Amino acid sequence: MIELIRTNDAVIISFVESLLRDAGIECFVADQNMSVLDGSIGILPRRVMIGADDAIAARRLLTDAGIGNEMREG
């Protein structure tokens, strides 16, 4: 799996999950339960992970949705 996005913004994560799910691209949100450690104040970023085979399609999807600037390099 590769990291597509890393952010503290729960709205961005939810939007990306929805876009990917609607496109049939499986994803996994890593570090989602880390909020227990940071006291639910959102200082630890969450990561949206996807399969390497889906990287090109997922990047295109996020770019077309206007949130390409949120993606990680690579």
Side-chain angles (χ1 to χ4, degrees):
M1 295 197 97
I2 62 167
E3 182 180 326
L4 183 63
I5 288 181
R6 180 183 298 194
T7 184
N8 295 351
D9 190 331
V11 174
I12 294 285
I13 290 173
S14 178
F15 183 49
V16 169
E17 283 184 291
S18 178
L19 287 171
L20 294 172
R21 181 178 47 248
D22 289 349
I25 299 173
E26 290 187 35
C27 70
F28 170 75
V29 179
D31 306 322
Q32 199 164 15
N33 295 322
M34 292 300 289
S35 64
V36 171
L37 295 177
D38 73 12
S40 298
I41 59 175
I43 59 171
L44 297 174
R46 279 60 167 174
R47 298 174 292 146
V48 177
M49 310 293 287
I50 59 169
D53 295 341
D54 294 321
I56 293 172
R59 290 181 184 283
R60 186 177 316 119
L61 181 67
L62 270 55
T63 300
D64 291 348
I67 57 169
N69 61 319
E70 297 289 336
M71 288 185 286
R72 300 290 286 185
E73 295 291 325

